[in-house]
C-alpha cells in the first residue's frame, strides 16, 4: 500500500482519504484552530446545557420545548461528527480511513436531514399554537410529538442509508484528496473514477424530498401564521405572537438559507474554496447559535435557569 491505495489486479482503490480542511494558508491555520475550537466548546456547552435545563424543569415539558430538546440533541451530535475532524486539519495532515469517511458521511447525512425535519415539526407546532390555540393541547398531544420525532429520525436514517450505500458502490482510484473539511457527498463524487449517475439520481430524490417537503410545510405554516397575526387588533398581541415565532424563523433562515446553496449545486460542478463557506453555517455556526437564539429572549428558559442555579447553590451549601 502507498499513498492511501491498495492494488487489486489492474485497478487500485483508495483505502484512506486526506481532508484538506478550510484553508491551506499556514498563517491562518492557528487562528482558525482556536476560533473553531471556541465555537465547538460553546456549541457543546450550550446544547448540553439546554438539554439538561429542559430535562430538569417540569414546566418546560411542553411540545415546544420537547422539539427544542430534540433540536439541541441533534445539534450536539451534529457538531461532534464534524468539528473534531475539522480541528485536526488545522494542526496536521488530516488522514481519514475509508471506513471512517463513510461513517462520517452516514452521520453527516443523518443529522442534516434530522435538522430539516425537526425544524419543520417546530413550524407545525408554532402554527397550531397561533392559529388553533384552543385545540393546541389536543392537536399537539404526546403521541403526536412522538410520531413527529419518529418521523424525523426515520427520514434521517433512510436518507443516510441511501447516500452511504450508493457511495460504497463507487471506486475511488484517481485521487484520495478531499477538498473539504468533511466527507460530504459532492467532494466525494468528484473523486470517483466510476459512474456517479445513480448517486446523483439518489441525491436528487433524497434532497428533493427532504428540502421540498419541509420548505412547502414551512411556507404554508408561516403564511397561515402571518395571516392570523395580521388579524390581531392589539399591538401587544401582535408583538407577543411574533416573538413566539421569531426564534424559529431565525434558525430556519440560517439553516435552510445556507444549505440551499450547496444542495442546489450540481454534483459534477467544480469544487471551489468559497463552496466551503455555506456548510460552515449549517454545520458549525447553526448548532452554536440555536441555544442562544431560543434562550436569550425566552422568559421560560430564564426562569428555569434561575431555579436550577438556586437549587444547585442550595445543594452545595
Amino acid at each position: 500500500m502507498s499513498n492511501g491505495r491498495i492494488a487489486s489486479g489492474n485497478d487500485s482503490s483508495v483505502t484512506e482519504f486526506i481532508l484538506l480542511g478550510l484553508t491551506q494558508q499556514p498563517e491562518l491555520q492557528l487562528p482558525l484552530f482556536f476560533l473553531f475550537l471556541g465555537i465547538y466548546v460553546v456549541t457543546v456547552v450550550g446544547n448540553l446545557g439546554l438539554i439538561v435545563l429542559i430535562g430538569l424543569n417540569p414546566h418546560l415539558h411542553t411540545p415546544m420545548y420537547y422539539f427544542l430538546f430534540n433540536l439541541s440533541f441533534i445539534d450536539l451530535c451534529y457538531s461532534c461528527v464534524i468539528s473534531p475532524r475539522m480541528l485536526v486539519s488545522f494542526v496536521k495532515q488530516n488522514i481519514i480511513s475509508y471506513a471512517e469517511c463513510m461513517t462520517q458521511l452516514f452521520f453527516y447525512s443523518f443529522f442534516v436531514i434530522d435538522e430539516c425535519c425537526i425544524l419543520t415539526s417546530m413550524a407545525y407546532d408554532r402554527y397550531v399554537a397561533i392559529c388553533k390555540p384552543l385545540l393546541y393541547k389536543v392537536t399537539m398531544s404526546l403521541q403526536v410529538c412522538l410520531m413527529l420525532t419518529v418521523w424525523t429520525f426515520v427520514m434521517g436514517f433512510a436518507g443516510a442509508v441511501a447516500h452511504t450505500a450508493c457511495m460504497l458502490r463507487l471506486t475511488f482510484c484517481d485521487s484520495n484528496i478531499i477538498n473539504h473539511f468533511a466527507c460530504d457527498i459532492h467532494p466525494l463524487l468528484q473523486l470517483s473514477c466510476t459512474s456517479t449517475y445513480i448517486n446523483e439520481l439518489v441525491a436528487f430524490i433524497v434532497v428533493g424530498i427532504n428540502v421540498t417537503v419541509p420548505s412547502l410545510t414551512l411556507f404554508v405554516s408561516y403564511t397561515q401564521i402571518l395571516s392570523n397575526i395580521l388579524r390581531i387588533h392589539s399591538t401587544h398581541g401582535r408583538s407577543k405572537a411574533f416573538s413566539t415565532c421569531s426564534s424559529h424563523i431565525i434558525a430556519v433562515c440560517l439553516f435552510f438559507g445556507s444549505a440551499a446553496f450547496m444542495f442546489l449545486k450540481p454534483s459534477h460542478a467544480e469544487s471551489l474554496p468559497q463552496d466551503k463557506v455555506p456548510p460552515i453555517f449549517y454545520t458549525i455556526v447553526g448548532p452554536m447559535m440555536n441555544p442562544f437564539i431560543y434562550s436569550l429572549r425566552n422568559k421560560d428558559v430564564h426562569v428555569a435557569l434561575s431555579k436550577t442555579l438556586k437549587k444547585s447553590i442550595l445543594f452545595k451549601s
Side-chain angles (χ1 to χ4, degrees):
M1 186 179 75
S2 62
N3 296 325
R5 296 173 177 80
I6 184 168
S8 178
N10 294 326
D11 299 323
S12 63
S13 57
V14 170
T15 59
E16 60 187 25
F17 295 98
I18 298 172
L19 290 167
L20 289 184
L22 279 180
T23 179
Q24 294 298 296
Q25 298 181 43
E27 67 275 14
L28 295 177
Q29 300 283 15
L30 201 58
L32 287 176
F33 171 79
F34 286 110
L35 172 64
F36 284 98
L37 177 62
I39 290 174
Y40 180 51
V41 171
V42 172
T43 301
V44 171
V45 172
N47 284 288
L48 193 58
L50 204 52
I51 288 170
V52 172
L53 198 64
I54 294 171
L56 291 178
N57 290 271
H59 77 277
L60 295 182
H61 295 176
T62 62
M64 175 183 169
Y65 293 102
Y66 171 81
F67 291 123
L68 184 54
F69 179 95
N70 281 281
L71 177 65
S72 293
F73 174 75
I74 290 168
D75 283 340
L76 178 63
C77 296
Y78 201 178
S79 183
C80 291
V81 167
I82 302 300
S83 294
R85 270 290 172 188
M86 182 185 185
L87 290 170
V88 170
S89 64
F90 291 125
V91 293
K92 65 176 183 179
Q93 189 179 57
N94 191 1
I95 298 173
I96 184 171
S97 71
Y98 177 85
E100 288 175 323
C101 188
M102 293 302 110
T103 301
Q104 188 186 55
L105 172 65
F106 175 84
F107 286 106
Y108 187 14
S109 304
F110 179 69
F111 290 119
V112 167
I113 297 170
D114 285 349
E115 187 103 354
C116 285
C117 294
I118 203 70
L119 287 172
T120 306
S121 298
M122 294 174 80
Y124 177 68
D125 172 69
R126 293 299 83 205
Y127 159 73
V128 177
I130 291 174
C131 299
K132 299 181 179 179
L134 298 178
L135 297 174
Y136 182 73
K137 288 186 178 180
V138 176
T139 306
M140 298 305 298
S141 64
L142 178 59
Q143 290 78 9
V144 171
C145 292
L146 288 173
M147 184 181 69
L148 289 170
T149 305
V150 170
W151 167 72
T152 293
F153 288 106
V154 167
M155 291 297 288
F157 181 77
V161 167
H163 284 310
T164 309
C166 287
M167 198 64 68
L168 288 170
R169 60 179 286 277
L170 299 180
T171 300
F172 301 95
C173 51
D174 294 334
S175 173
N176 68 332
I177 299 175
I178 300 174
N179 188 20
H180 207 271
F181 57 83
C183 291
D184 200 359
I185 296 169
H186 292 309
L188 282 169
L189 291 182
Q190 290 165 6
L191 299 183
S192 174
C193 53
T194 51
S195 174
T196 60
Y197 173 76
I198 298 297
N199 297 69
E200 291 176 24
L201 180 62
V202 169
F204 178 79
I205 294 170
V206 172
V207 171
I209 293 171
N210 289 290
V211 170
T212 304
V213 174
S215 297
L216 286 174
T217 304
L218 287 163
F219 177 77
V220 172
S221 296
Y222 275 104
T223 300
Q224 293 294 319
I225 288 170
L226 183 61
S227 176
N228 274 266
I229 289 175
L230 292 177
R231 286 201 294 265
I232 299 174
H233 299 293
S234 165
T235 305
H236 175 72
R238 283 186 184 182
S239 176
K240 187 176 180 181
F242 270 121
S243 68
T244 63
C245 301
S246 59
S247 298
H248 185 253
I249 291 172
I250 294 169
V252 165
C253 290
L254 181 62
F255 180 80
F256 281 90
S258 55
F261 181 87
M262 291 305 298
F263 292 147
L264 295 177
K265 179 186 175 182
S267 58
H268 58 270
E270 184 182 354
S271 179
L272 300 172
Q274 58 265 33
D275 291 342
K276 300 175 187 178
V277 176
I280 290 174
F281 281 93
Y282 67 82
T283 62
I284 306 293
V285 178
M288 177 192 69
M289 292 298 296
N290 283 342
F292 298 101
I293 290 171
Y294 283 98
S295 61
L296 286 178
R297 295 174 57 195
N298 191 312
K299 292 181 180 179
D300 291 335
V301 173
H302 293 170
V303 170
L305 180 61
S306 178
K307 287 182 178 179
T308 303
L309 290 175
K310 286 178 181 178
K311 285 181 182 178
S312 177
I313 294 169
L314 289 172
F315 179 77
K316 288 180 179 179
S317 60

